[in-house]
C-alpha cells in the first residue's frame, strides 16, 4: 500500500464521488463474502444430503452473482466519474498555468513534454485516484472484518490470514519505492522522447536543409533505447513486487487451508465451518489482490507527478500566475473593453533595474523612460542590449529589482497592454477566428483594424477573405502578413498601451515604411512603444531611444 498525499488530496476534493465509489466497492466485496458463505452452506448441504438446502443455497449464489453484476457496473461508473472529475480539475489548473507565459518569447517549457504531462500524465493519475485510492479505503474497512470473523471461527486460521495480510501490505513496500524511483526515470525518458519527437517533426524542413536528418534519427533512436531500458527496469521491479505480494497472499491462504484441513481431519469443526475457513481466507486476500492490480494501473500517474507539478497542475489558482491570467483575461470581460480605447496619456518608467538571478550583473540599469500618447516612441539597440527584457518587465513577466512603471500615475497593469511580438503566433482556424480572440467580431471593426495594420488589401485578395484558413503557427501566411495580422489583432484588443517588438523585421523597405506610418497613426490614441534593430526606418519617429548594455540614452 503506497499512499501519495498529493493524489489523495485530489480524490478528497470530490467527497461525494469518492464516497459513492468506496461504498459500491464495499458492497461488491460483501457480495463476494456472501457468495463464499452461500457456497460453504451449499457444500455442507451436499455433504449431508439436504436437497432443499442445496437448492436454496444455489438460488442464493445465483441471486448474489446477479446483484454483484449490477453493483460492479455501478461501481465502474462511479470510479469513472471520480476519475473524470479529478482529470478535469488537474487539466484545468495545468491549462490555467500554461496559458500564462513566463516570458514573451521563450518560456523554457518544451511543448512535447508539456503534451506528455497534460495527456498521458493526467490520464495516469486517473487510475491511481479512481481505483487505487478507493481500493485502499475498501481494504481498510473490509479486511479487518473478515480477519475477525476468521479469528472467531478458528484463531489459528485467523492468525495465518492476519500475518499474510500484513506481509502482503508491508513486504512489497521496498519494491514499490524502488519502482516509484525507477518510474521517475521512465517518465523522464518518455517526456524527453515526446519533446524531441515533436521538435524534430516541427523542425524537419530545417533539419533536412542542414543535412541532419540522420543525426536526428540517431538522437531519437538513442531516446527510444533509453525509454526501452527504463521500461524494462520498471517491469523487473514490478515482477519483484508482484512476486512478494503473491507469496504473502498464497502463503497466508495455504496456511489457513492447512489449519482448516487439520480441523476436518481431527473432527474439531463441523463441515460448514471448515468450508467457511477455506473460502473466507481466500476472500480476505481479495482486496489485496485488487489493490496490487490497481497499483500497477495507477503507477504511471505517480511517475508523472513531478512533470505535472512543473506545469502547475497541482497549484491552486490564486498565485501570481492566476493573477496574471486574470489581469490578461479575455477581452470583452474587462471594464476597458467597451467601445474605443480608454486613452492613457503617459507611460513612465523610473529607476528601473533588473538582473537575471543566475547572471553576474544587471541587464537593465537605472532606466528612465517616458512614452506619450500622440507620438510614436522607439527603442533601438544591438542584439543582447536588453530590449526584450525591458518588454518583459513592462508586461510584468519579470519583476524589477528597483524602480517603478506607471501609466498616468498608477501602476501599469498587464491588461493595459497589447503586444505584437517578434514571432507572432496565429492559431489554426480562419483569419476571422484569429482576430476574434480579442472579442471583436463586427465586420467593420475587423476591416478597420486590418486597414490600419496595412493587411486589408491582401486579405481581400485571398479567395476566402476573412474566412481564409491559416494553419497552426500561421505558416500559410508570409512573415510580413503574419506580423501585420498580429498588429491588427493587437489594435482590436483596444488597450491603451501597444508594445511592438521588431514590427519591420520581416518586411521590405516599402512595407516597413507603411507599418511605421500605421504605428504613427495608431499612436494618436494610444501610447505606442516599439523595439527595433533598424534605426534607418525611424527617421520620422520623434522619440528614439537607444539601449546600450541596459543603459538608455536619447538617440541623436
Ligand atoms: N533567462 C536569462 N537568464 C540570464 N540571462 C539572460 C536571460 N535572458 C536574457 N539574458 C541576457 O540578458 C541580456 C539581454 O537580453 P535580451 O533578450 O533582453 O536582449 P535583446 O536586446 O532583446 O536582444 P535581441 O535583439 O537579440 O532579441 C543578454 O545578454 C542575454 O544573454
Amino acid at each position: 500500500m503506497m499512499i501519495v498525499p498529493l493524489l489523495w488530496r485530489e480524490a478528497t476534493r470530490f467527497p461525494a464521488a469518492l464516497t459513492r465509489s468506496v461504498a459500491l466497492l464495499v458492497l461488491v466485496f460483501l457480495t463476494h463474502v456472501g457468495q463464499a458463505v452461500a457456497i460453504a452452506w451449499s457444500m455442507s448441504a451436499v455433504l449431508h444430503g439436504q436437497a432443499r438446502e442445496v437448492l436454496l443455497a444455489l438460488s442464493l449464489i445465483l441471486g448474489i452473482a446477479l446483484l454483484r453484476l449490477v453493483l460492479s457496473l455501478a461501481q465502474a461508473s462511479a470510479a469513472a466519474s471520480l476519475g473524470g472529475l479529478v482529470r478535469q480539475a488537474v487539466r484545468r489548473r495545468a491549462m490555467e498555468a500554461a496559458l500564462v507565459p513566463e516570458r514573451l518569447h521563450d518560456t523554457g517549457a518544451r511543448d512535447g513534454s508539456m503534451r506528455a504531462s497534460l495527456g498521458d500524465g493526467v490520464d495516469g493519475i486517473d487510475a491511481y485516484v479512481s481505483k487505487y485510492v478507493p481500493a485502499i479505503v475498501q481494504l481498510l474497512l473490509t479486511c479487518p472484518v473478515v480477519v475477525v470473523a476468521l479469528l472467531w471461527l478458528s484463531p489459528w486460521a485467523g492468525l495465518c490470514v492476519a500475518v499474510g495480510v500484513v506481509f502482503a501490505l508491508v513486504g512489497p513496500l521496498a519494491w514499490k519505492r524502488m519502482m516509484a524511483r525507477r518510474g521517475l526515470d521512465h517518465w523522464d525518458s518518455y517526456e524527453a522522447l515526446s519533446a524531441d519527437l515533436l521538435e524534430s517533426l516541427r523542425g524537419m524542413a530545417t533539419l533536412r536543409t542542414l543535412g541532419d536528418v540522420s543525426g536526428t534519427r540517431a538522437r531519437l533512436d538513442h531516446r527510444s533505447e533509453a525509454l526501452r531500458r527504463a521500461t524494462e527496469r520498471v517491469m523487473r521491479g514490478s515482477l519483484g513486487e508482484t512476486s512478494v505480494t503473491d507469496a504473502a497472499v498464497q502463503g497466508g491462504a495455504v496456511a489457513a487451508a492447512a489449519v482448516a484441513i487439520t480441523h476436518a481431519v481431527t473432527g474439531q469443526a463441523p463441515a460448514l465451518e471448515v468450508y467457511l475457513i477455506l473460502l473466507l481466507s481466500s476472500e480476505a486476500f481479495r482486496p489485496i489482490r485488487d489493490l496490487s492490480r490497481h497499483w500497477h494501473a495507477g503507477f504511471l500517474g505517480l511517475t508523472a507527478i513531478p512533470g505535472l507539478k512543473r506545469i502547475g497542475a497541482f497549484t491552486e489558482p490564486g498565485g501570481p500566475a492566476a493573477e496574471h491570467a486574470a489581469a490578461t483575461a479575455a477581452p470583452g470581460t474587462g471594464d476597458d473593453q467597451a467601445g474605443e480605447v480608454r486613452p492613457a496619456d503617459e507611460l513612465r518608467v523610473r529607476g528601473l533595474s533588473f538582473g537575471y538571478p543566475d547572471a553576474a550583473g544587471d541587464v537593465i540599469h537605472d532606466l528612465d523612460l517616458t512614452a506619450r500618447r500622440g507620438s510614436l516612441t522607439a527603442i533601438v539597440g544591438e542584439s543582447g542590449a536588453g530590449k526584450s527584457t525591458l518588454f518583459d518587465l513592462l508586461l510584468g513577466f519579470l519583476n524589477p529589482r528597483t524602480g517603478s512603471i506607471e501609466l498616468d500615475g498608477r501602476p501599469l497593469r498587464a491588461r493595459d497592454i497589447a503586444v505584437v511580438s517578434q514571432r507572432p503566433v496565429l492559431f489554426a482556424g480562419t483569419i476571422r477566428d484569429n482576430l476574434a480572440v480579442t472579442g471583436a467580431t463586427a465586420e467593420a471593426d475587423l476591416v478597420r483594424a486590418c486597414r490600419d495594420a496595412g493587411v486589408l488589401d491582401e486579405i481581400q485578395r485571398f479567395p476566402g477573405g476573412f474566412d481564409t484558413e491559416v494553419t497552426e503557427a500561421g505558416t500559410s501566411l508570409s512573415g510580413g502578413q503574419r506580423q501585420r495580422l498580429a498588429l491588427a489583432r493587437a489594435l482590436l484588443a483596444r488597450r491603451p498601451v501597444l508594445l511592438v517588438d521588431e514590427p519591420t523585421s520581416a518586411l521590405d523597405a516599402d512595407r516597413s515604411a507603411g507599418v511605421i506610418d500605421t504605428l504613427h497613426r495608431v499612436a494618436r490614441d494610444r501610447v505606442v512603444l516599439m523595439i527595433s534593430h533598424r534605426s534607418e526606418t525611424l527617421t520620422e519617429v520623434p522619440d528614439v531611444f537607444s539601449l546600450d548594455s541596459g543603459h538608455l540614452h536619447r538617440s541623436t
Side-chain angles (χ1 to χ4, degrees):
M1 177 155 55
M2 192 147 168
I3 293 172
V4 180
L6 189 73
L7 294 186
W8 274 73
R9 212 172 48 233
E10 291 304 322
T12 52
R13 281 177 201 278
F14 303 98
L18 179 60
T19 309
R20 207 172 66 225
S21 185
V22 171
L24 286 164
L25 211 51
V26 170
L27 289 177
V28 171
F29 178 73
L30 289 180
T31 63
H32 283 292
V33 174
Q35 204 166 37
V37 173
I39 292 172
W41 180 31
S42 70
M43 284 162 69
S44 161
V46 169
L47 198 69
H48 295 102
Q50 298 161 320
R52 197 170 147 272
E53 271 81 358
V54 171
L55 268 180
L56 272 176
L58 287 178
S59 315
L60 193 60
I61 292 169
L62 191 65
I64 291 174
L66 287 175
L67 178 64
R68 186 166 59 242
L69 184 68
V70 175
L71 288 172
S72 298
L73 288 175
Q75 204 286 322
S77 148
S81 130
L82 173 63
L85 286 169
V86 170
R87 266 203 321 239
Q88 206 178 9
V90 171
R91 247 187 214 125
R92 183 178 42 73
R93 286 198 299 267
M95 293 304 290
E96 270 172 23
L99 289 174
V100 182
E102 292 159 35
R103 301 288 310 272
L104 187 52
H105 295 316
D106 301 309
T107 65
R110 299 183 75 191
D111 291 353
S113 40
M114 183 100 159
R115 196 210 62 78
S117 292
L118 271 177
D120 299 339
V122 174
D123 286 344
I125 64 167
D126 174 350
Y128 185 95
V129 169
S130 69
K131 302 219 166 69
Y132 192 70
V133 170
I136 289 182
V137 182
Q138 181 233 355
L139 183 142
L140 295 174
L141 291 174
T142 56
C143 226
V145 176
V146 184
V147 171
V148 168
L150 278 166
L151 283 168
W152 178 72
L153 282 170
S154 157
W156 280 111
L159 194 67
C160 293
V161 170
V163 171
V165 167
V166 171
F167 267 109
L169 291 178
V170 178
L173 267 186
W175 293 93
K176 281 190 166 132
R177 287 211 186 93
M178 185 185 75
M179 265 181 83
R181 267 198 315 277
R182 290 183 176 181
L184 296 181
D185 291 343
H186 173 263
W187 182 262
D188 285 347
S189 305
Y190 176 61
E191 253 192 9
L193 178 62
S194 297
D196 278 5
L197 198 58
L198 192 65
E199 280 169 13
S200 305
L201 288 173
R202 282 201 181 137
M204 191 46 78
T206 310
L207 293 167
R208 195 168 282 146
T209 55
L210 294 171
D212 190 41
V213 173
S214 55
T216 305
R217 200 173 293 136
R219 272 196 300 280
L220 289 176
D221 279 350
H222 177 71
R223 290 279 194 215
S224 262
E225 178 57 19
L227 179 60
R228 188 192 61 76
R229 277 201 307 271
T231 309
E232 267 182 14
R233 275 159 50 81
V234 168
M235 285 172 78
R236 277 200 295 275
S238 164
L239 269 177
E241 188 271 337
T242 310
S243 316
V244 176
T245 308
D246 279 356
V249 167
Q250 302 303 339
V254 167
V259 173
I261 290 165
T262 312
H263 286 331
V265 171
T266 56
Q268 272 178 321
L272 180 62
E273 261 182 50
V274 173
Y275 291 137
L276 276 176
I277 294 170
L278 280 172
L279 292 166
L280 286 183
S281 56
S282 167
E283 288 307 326
F285 290 107
R286 183 181 291 279
I288 292 175
R289 287 195 299 269
D290 288 348
L291 199 65
S292 174
R293 195 159 39 86
H294 296 320
W295 157 256
H296 290 279
F299 171 71
L300 187 65
L302 296 190
T303 63
I305 288 176
L308 286 166
K309 271 189 184 161
R310 266 199 302 277
I311 62 170
F314 298 115
T315 311
E316 266 310 314
E323 274 166 31
H324 196 277
T328 53
T333 56
D335 56 2
D336 50 352
Q337 302 309 324
E340 294 305 307
V341 180
R342 180 174 293 178
D345 289 322
E346 190 180 82
L347 171 70
R348 179 168 286 206
V349 178
R350 271 189 259 223
L352 200 72
S353 295
F354 172 80
Y356 287 99
D358 46 357
D362 280 357
V363 171
I364 299 290
H365 301 270
D366 196 21
L367 184 146
D368 292 323
L369 167 72
T370 303
R372 293 193 177 83
R373 177 162 68 100
S375 68
L376 184 56
T377 305
I379 296 177
V380 291
E382 299 285 309
S383 178
K387 304 180 296 293
S388 302
T389 305
L390 176 60
F391 265 26
D392 282 326
L393 286 161
L394 294 175
L395 283 160
F397 294 147
L398 299 173
N399 292 318
R401 192 171 54 73
T402 62
S404 63
I405 305 169
E406 291 181 345
L407 186 67
D408 286 350
R410 56 149 177 92
L412 179 73
R413 301 162 305 190
R415 67 166 170 272
D416 296 321
I417 309 171
V419 189
V420 181
S421 128
Q422 204 175 344
R423 285 171 256 157
V425 172
L426 300 179
F427 304 99
T430 61
I431 290 176
R432 189 187 302 281
D433 294 338
N434 272 279
L435 295 171
V437 294
T438 59
T441 48
E443 188 81 8
D445 289 343
L446 305 191
V447 167
R448 193 171 55 233
C450 290
R451 185 182 297 120
D452 285 348
V455 70
L456 183 66
D457 293 351
E458 284 150 290
I459 292 177
Q460 286 176 337
R461 274 203 295 276
F462 291 141
F466 280 107
D467 295 315
T468 304
E469 291 281 336
V470 294
T471 54
E472 207 176 345
T475 45
S476 58
L477 299 178
S478 77
Q481 286 166 344
R482 284 175 59 176
Q483 228 163 15
R484 279 173 284 126
L485 193 57
L487 176 58
R489 190 167 58 183
L491 297 181
L492 283 167
R494 302 181 191 284
R495 307 285 171 95
V497 176
L498 177 65
L499 301 184
V500 191
D501 191 0
E502 293 286 1
T504 57
S505 61
L507 306 180
D508 55 35
D510 274 359
R511 289 267 184 216
S512 296
V515 167
I516 299 294
D517 279 350
T518 300
L519 292 177
H520 277 301
R521 214 168 36 248
V522 301
R524 285 182 205 144
D525 52 11
R526 295 171 178 77
V527 175
V528 181
L529 186 60
M530 67 174 279
I531 281 178
S532 182
H533 271 114
R534 297 164 60 178
S535 48
E536 71 276 10
T537 56
L538 305 175
T539 45
E540 301 297 314
V541 178
D543 291 312
V544 180
F545 294 88
S546 125
L547 190 63
D548 182 9
S549 303
H551 298 276
L552 195 72
H553 314 279
R554 182 173 280 278
S555 260
T556 47

